[in-house]
Amino acid sequence: MQINNVYLGDCLIKLKKVEDKSIDLIYLDPPFFTGKAQIQKTRDNSKEYLFDDKWEDLDQYLNFLKTRIIECKRTLKDTGSIFLHCDKNASHYIRVLLDEVFGPENFVNEIIWTYKRWSNAKKGLLNAHQNIFFYSKTKKYQFFTQFTDYSPTTNIDQILQARERNEHNKTVYKKDANGEVVTGKEKVGVPLSDVWDIPYLNPKAEERVGYPTQKPVILLERIITLVTNEGDVVLDPFCGSGTTLVAASINKRQYIGIDISEEATQLSKKRIKEAKITKSHRLEKGLDSYLNKEDYVREILSQLDAVIVERNKGIDGFLKKHIDGKPVAIYVQRKNQSLADAITLIRKATHSKGVGKKILIRTNDVAVLFDEDTSDKDDLLIIESLDFQVFEKFTRPLV
Ligand SMILES: C[S@@+](CC[C@H](N)C(=O)[O-])C[C@H]1O[C@@H](n2cnc3c(N)ncnc32)[C@H](O)[C@@H]1O
């Protein structure tokens, strides 16, 4: 079967044409056992897409899935993984099914994809998640750990200081013989958890093509980059509007898509060509409003590939690499903040924290009455941001 193609037909039949052990990742988002026809219109209402999710009974549905999951397993490389997307309707049965086919020892995670929903009037809790089961073919599966920023509630000492267990087996911050704090290992952020807060595609999102149950590209990008390398092959046997294939091609992976609906395969091919994504505004800005850094501060920190920390007055982040065995703190001067104030803040925030060098990013020249002594005496390096160099200095009128 040719790679980088979308095939029309029942995936059970098409999968049989895929070579044994040739696929690195299978993501499948089959009908969810909702008992309804899934219908949706395009954003301009010009077209309606539909696929059927009606079954005689649960046995028929599970049997449908099982035969196809067995074929999927055969096509996976020993280093490969499968991600099966479902929801509350059948997730509990599907997990048992996957245990049967892949073996419980190859269960890796149950990912909870959570998103904000508008309330509805129904009795019971608002349903705001779907489930993605992650199984590997063998224990040799490929996996690339991803890291996220520290949560706003993380105490700076937790990031900086080494910890140990005391005589009561309690975790405490480590101190050396002189009672000084001991610096911990280099940190790159918090390893990604199994709960993913990724916004649902809103009805006006540019990415939305009007296909029922269309998933966000960003969700698939995360899965793809967790378990595949560039050039690896990603297969989606229920590809629908082609979200997985778009995410694969954007990330330089090869892909195979299959769907029983001709409209779906045509739409997938069109989307792969256009490869449009709307990065969620909410996701780019940080997930919660209490993440309080302004955009320009985040931009500067990301240029430095810094680990961002929240809620610490005077420290915005750290370099991922230690220098001279110590963490390097970064602070970005705020608009309307004088350089002297910024220096005072970073010095205060880093005092007795086991921090080594400090970097202050200068972003403006707000006037001050007295010049601060900015010499390098306590390992403070002041660097001018690009914006400051170009716009403020270059365009400042000569006096
Ligand atoms: C939940 S949708 C997939 C949505 C997709 N993940 C997206 O983001 O657009 C399920 C898809 O499975 C397809 N389908 C149903 N039975 C199938 C079968 N036996 N073989 C292949 N595709 C099938 C439907 O046509 C539908 O497009």
Side-chain angles (χ1 to χ4, degrees):
M1 186 179 246
Q2 243 192 332
I3 280 168
N4 291 340
N5 220 335
V6 188
Y7 293 92
L8 171 65
D10 184 339
C11 60
L12 181 60
I13 296 159
K14 295 287 169 196
L15 277 166
K16 290 194 195 292
K17 302 203 168 116
V18 180
E19 258 178 62
D20 287 3
K21 299 193 180 190
S22 59
I23 306 292
D24 296 283
L25 161 67
I26 298 179
Y27 166 86
L28 63 159
D29 175 23
F32 278 8
F33 195 61
T34 58
K36 297 182 208 152
Q38 296 291 337
I39 305 171
Q40 187 132 22
K41 282 191 175 159
T42 52
R43 272 186 298 149
D44 61 3
N45 286 326
S46 62
K47 186 160 176 48
E48 190 172 82
Y49 289 105
L50 172 150
F51 73 85
D52 213 3
D53 188 11
K54 290 187 187 148
W55 308 86
E56 267 167 35
D57 55 24
L58 182 65
D59 278 349
Q60 187 207 15
Y61 175 71
L62 292 178
N63 194 45
F64 165 88
L65 278 187
K66 189 170 179 181
T67 46
R68 286 159 182 81
I69 293 172
I70 290 171
E71 273 308 307
C72 285
K73 185 182 174 195
R74 180 190 58 75
T75 68
L76 274 181
K77 291 182 187 167
D78 287 346
T79 49
S81 302
I82 188 165
F83 286 67
L84 196 154
H85 197 135
C86 52
D87 76 356
K88 64 183 166 81
N89 287 298
S91 61
H92 46 318
Y93 298 106
I94 293 175
R95 170 118 186 232
V96 175
L97 194 69
L98 285 162
D99 271 355
E100 271 177 41
V101 178
F102 281 86
E105 69 282 7
N106 289 316
F107 167 78
V108 184
N109 287 112
E110 175 178 2
I111 296 158
I112 301 297
W113 170 35
T114 176
Y115 37 78
K116 294 275 172 288
R117 299 280 307 268
W118 287 277
S119 61
N120 61 9
K122 94 174 181 222
K123 202 169 176 181
L125 299 176
L126 182 71
N127 182 37
H129 81 275
Q130 293 179 6
N131 314 60
I132 304 172
F133 291 119
F134 168 13
Y135 279 71
S136 61
K137 170 111 175 229
T138 70
K139 289 269 170 252
K140 292 190 293 186
Y141 69 98
Q142 185 163 250
F143 186 80
F144 305 102
T145 306
Q146 292 181 14
F147 294 92
T148 51
D149 293 342
Y150 290 101
S151 96
T153 53
T154 308
N155 182 318
I156 199 118
D157 293 335
Q158 282 172 274
I159 301 169
L160 290 176
Q161 298 183 23
R163 280 178 283 181
E164 63 182 357
R165 291 201 177 266
N166 69 8
E167 65 277 21
H168 309 296
N169 203 26
K170 266 192 150 179
T171 308
V172 292
Y173 291 117
K174 203 169 174 176
K175 296 260 164 71
D176 64 15
N178 304 321
E180 299 285 324
V181 298
V182 178
T183 310
K185 288 199 192 112
E186 288 171 349
K187 303 271 177 26
V188 287
V190 186
L192 185 64
S193 84
D194 55 7
V195 178
W196 297 359
D197 186 344
I198 293 181
Y200 215 84
L201 286 179
N202 75 57
K204 296 223 165 97
E206 203 193 333
E207 183 183 328
R208 184 178 272 288
V209 290
Y211 200 79
T213 76
Q214 178 189 347
K215 304 299 179 294
V217 171
I218 199 162
L219 173 73
L220 270 302
E221 289 196 277
R222 187 175 275 183
I223 293 173
I224 287 171
T225 50
L226 260 188
V227 294
T228 66
N229 260 315
E230 282 188 15
D232 284 355
V233 186
V234 179
L235 186 151
D236 186 340
F238 296 89
C239 70
S241 63
T243 312
T244 312
L245 320 176
V246 169
S249 75
I250 291 171
N251 288 281
K252 301 195 173 77
R253 272 62 171 175
Q254 307 191 76
Y255 57 82
I256 298 176
I258 307 170
D259 202 287
I260 204 160
S261 142
E262 178 153 20
E263 283 185 326
T265 55
Q266 277 170 6
L267 184 58
S268 294
K269 286 180 187 167
K270 183 165 169 270
R271 276 185 83 200
I272 296 166
K273 257 195 197 156
E274 293 167 0
K276 264 192 189 162
I277 34 167
T278 2
K279 289 249 166 162
S280 153
H281 189 61
R282 183 165 162 258
L283 202 70
E284 292 223 306
K285 285 201 142 185
L287 288 175
D288 295 290
S289 55
Y290 52 73
L291 299 188
N292 53 10
K293 291 191 200 311
E294 297 88 332
D295 285 351
Y296 70 95
V297 176
R298 287 190 181 281
E299 237 165 68
I300 290 172
L301 293 168
S302 77
Q303 283 165 9
L304 288 169
D305 194 23
V307 179
I308 300 177
V309 295
E310 304 288 343
R311 268 199 354 164
N312 282 286
K313 230 178 161 195
I315 303 177
D316 288 316
F318 291 92
L319 291 185
K320 284 188 180 154
K321 285 243 161 284
H322 285 181
I323 294 182
D324 300 334
K326 299 245 174 211
V328 180
I330 307 164
Y331 180 66
V332 180
Q333 181 192 16
R334 302 300 198 267
K335 287 177 184 147
N336 302 320
Q337 181 183 46
S338 73
L339 191 63
D341 285 349
I343 292 170
T344 309
L345 269 183
I346 188 169
R347 281 192 176 138
K348 245 191 179 165
T350 51
H351 180 68
S352 74
K353 293 278 185 207
V355 169
K357 296 189 190 307
K358 304 150 198 69
I359 301 175
L360 174 62
I361 308 293
R362 182 171 194 186
T363 62
N364 65 65
D365 58 357
V366 169
V368 274
L369 285 181
F370 306 103
D371 270 351
E372 173 72 12
D373 175 8
T374 57
S375 59
D376 200 5
K377 60 179 183 293
D378 72 343
D379 282 344
L380 177 71
L381 174 65
I382 301 178
I383 304 172
E384 293 175 350
S385 72
L386 269 183
D387 271 17
F388 178 56
Q389 292 182 46
V390 175
F391 297 109
E392 301 236 0
K393 276 192 170 177
F394 208 47
T395 59
R396 195 189 312 151
L398 291 175
V399 266

